[in-house]
Amino acid sequence: MTTPTSRRTLLGALLAGGALAAAPSLPRSGHRARSPRTAGAGARGTATLFLGTYTSTTPGGAGIGVASYDPAAGTITGRTVVTGVENPSFLALHPTGTTLYAVDEQQQGGVTAVALAGDGTFRILGTRDTGGAGPCHLSVHPGGKWLFSANYTSGSVAVHPLAADGTPGERTDLVAHAAPAPGPGQDGPHAHQIITAPGGHILAVDLGNDTVYTYRLDEERGTLEQLSYAALRPGAGPRSLTFHPGGRYAYLACEVDNTVVVCGYDPATGVLTPGAPQSTGTGSGTSYPAQLLVTGDGRFAYLANRGHNSLTRYAVEGGGATLRLLDTVPVGGDFPRHIAFSPDESLLLAANQKSGTVTVFRVDGESGALESVGTPFAAPAAVCVLPL
């Protein structure tokens, strides 16, 4: 398996080289990346940042953005673009670090794989249909053999096999979320996230059904068997689930009712038990909370608030059982759709969709406090950040 250091070496070569290899003919593929616009990307002391974007908006992105960032200074520079993917709004990396995956968030949903070679090339391996509309999230099983995606518009989750080189195969399963019925104000199921949880179960968060589903993956056939589900209060709109590193607790960002919910979790059974909703620190009304991050030592959690344009900081206490609200800080952009740590967690990066920027914060290792650094990086319709 590729180590974090070797991943950075490989991706530095990608940024420095910018050359493109021809892609084989597979469904809905074959476009190639543009060469870097700024010299010096991939130089010593920089790391790689992938950006998910919307290409169908105005202004919009041109595809999957690739930039370099300085982990010490927090500055972002340079750009190349991998074109040929419509609305690559969420990204994920294969465990080997050699393949990047993107959703194609459109009516005929798809997932696209991009090979990251060590000779400075990007190569689109192919696109496969997800069997639904508007996929907005995807993740790779830790074993590297299966790719999961969540179809938001049609309320379903899909499974694709992955070949040894990372190429996705034809879908092996598609599960529609039918029960429980949507609550008041909801128009139907809207799958928003699918991840592998501690213990190996597959969990899918459905914003429209106010539900988190637990599945067992058949690792031979690539099929999902529903084991249980956890119902949130009607109208909560759960969007994103993040686990505490201890594996016994998870945190839900609920978009519609502007709350965060601490959940108990049993890794052996996959049963999720939601607790009481609590404040995002953004006042009355909805602030469309998007996503939580938890530090690797389990001491702090951060929430992106899109309507409030802020980041909420929590102290994690009781071994993960409690979130204590500490403060909120301005994100420095408009509509923070997604946030991510740098690998060493010294930086937190935010993709601000409406302002078309990425902002960077230094994370204090002792207090968890956030300090804005650098200047906002222009990235039209940026909706996902994946720093390596």
Side-chain angles (χ1 to χ4, degrees):
M1 181 173 289
T2 308
T3 65
T5 299
S6 60
R7 289 181 195 175
R8 287 194 177 185
T9 301
L10 180 153
L11 291 162
L14 288 171
L15 281 168
L20 298 167
S25 177
L26 281 175
R28 298 162 59 194
S29 70
H31 297 266
R32 299 188 287 178
R34 300 175 182 174
S35 53
R37 300 178 182 176
T38 303
R44 186 177 180 84
T46 62
T48 300
L49 172 65
F50 289 111
L51 300 171
T53 68
Y54 280 124
T55 59
S56 61
T57 61
T58 304
I64 301 170
V66 190
S68 60
Y69 73 99
D70 185 330
T75 53
I76 304 173
T77 57
R79 182 187 296 164
T80 183
V81 179
V82 181
T83 59
V85 189
E86 295 298 318
N87 293 330
S89 62
F90 197 85
L91 309 173
L93 194 68
H94 191 277
T96 62
T98 58
T99 310
L100 180 72
Y101 298 95
V103 297
D104 300 28
E105 190 175 341
Q106 48 190 336
Q107 186 61 31
Q108 184 183 355
V111 289
T112 294
V114 181
L116 311 176
D119 59 355
T121 63
F122 300 101
R123 182 166 54 93
I124 292 184
L125 295 170
T127 300
R128 299 293 185 182
D129 289 340
T130 60
C136 64
H137 186 268
L138 80 175
S139 63
V140 183
H141 188 260
K145 295 182 179 180
W146 303 102
L147 179 68
F148 310 115
S149 57
N151 294 308
Y152 177 82
T153 305
S154 53
S156 60
V157 293
V159 185
H160 288 265
L162 296 176
D165 68 351
T167 302
E170 291 293 343
R171 191 177 60 252
T172 54
D173 205 359
L174 180 68
V175 180
H177 294 163
Q186 301 278 37
D187 63 359
H190 293 302
H192 204 285
Q193 184 192 40
I194 181 166
I195 57 174
T196 304
H201 293 92
I202 310 304
L203 268 61
V205 179
D206 196 295
L207 188 151
N209 278 1
D210 300 314
T211 299
V212 181
Y213 299 88
T214 296
Y215 296 101
R216 176 188 292 117
L217 172 68
D218 185 321
E219 296 192 40
E220 295 299 321
R221 298 187 300 165
T223 55
L224 297 173
E225 175 192 1
Q226 183 178 319
L227 301 179
S228 61
Y229 67 81
L232 280 293
R233 67 176 182 174
R239 176 185 177 91
S240 178
L241 184 72
T242 304
F243 276 88
H244 183 272
R248 294 286 180 174
Y249 297 95
Y251 312 108
L252 267 172
C254 295
E255 172 180 325
V256 179
D257 70 358
N258 193 34
T259 63
V260 167
V261 175
V262 178
C263 306
Y265 182 70
D266 184 348
T269 63
V271 172
L272 189 78
T273 306
Q278 60 187 83
S279 173
T280 62
T282 59
S284 59
T286 183
S287 192
Y288 307 105
Q291 171 216 355
L292 284 145
L293 288 180
V294 181
T295 55
D297 60 11
R299 296 174 57 224
F300 298 100
Y302 304 89
L303 173 69
N305 303 296
R306 290 172 292 169
H308 196 246
N309 288 332
S310 66
L311 301 171
T312 301
R313 177 174 58 120
Y314 296 93
V316 181
E317 298 173 338
T322 304
L323 293 180
R324 178 167 58 88
L325 195 153
L326 296 175
D327 59 16
T328 63
V329 298
V331 75
D334 190 359
F335 219 66
R337 173 78 174 253
H338 185 253
I339 55 177
F341 290 127
S342 59
D344 64 0
E345 298 187 357
S346 64
L347 299 176
L348 183 151
L349 295 84
N352 303 299
Q353 179 179 351
K354 292 183 179 180
S355 59
T357 57
V358 176
T359 48
V360 183
F361 295 82
R362 195 174 312 285
V363 182
D364 186 287
E366 292 301 317
S367 67
L370 299 176
E371 176 191 5
S372 178
V373 295
T375 57
F377 177 72
V383 290
C384 180
V385 282
L386 180 56
L388 304 182

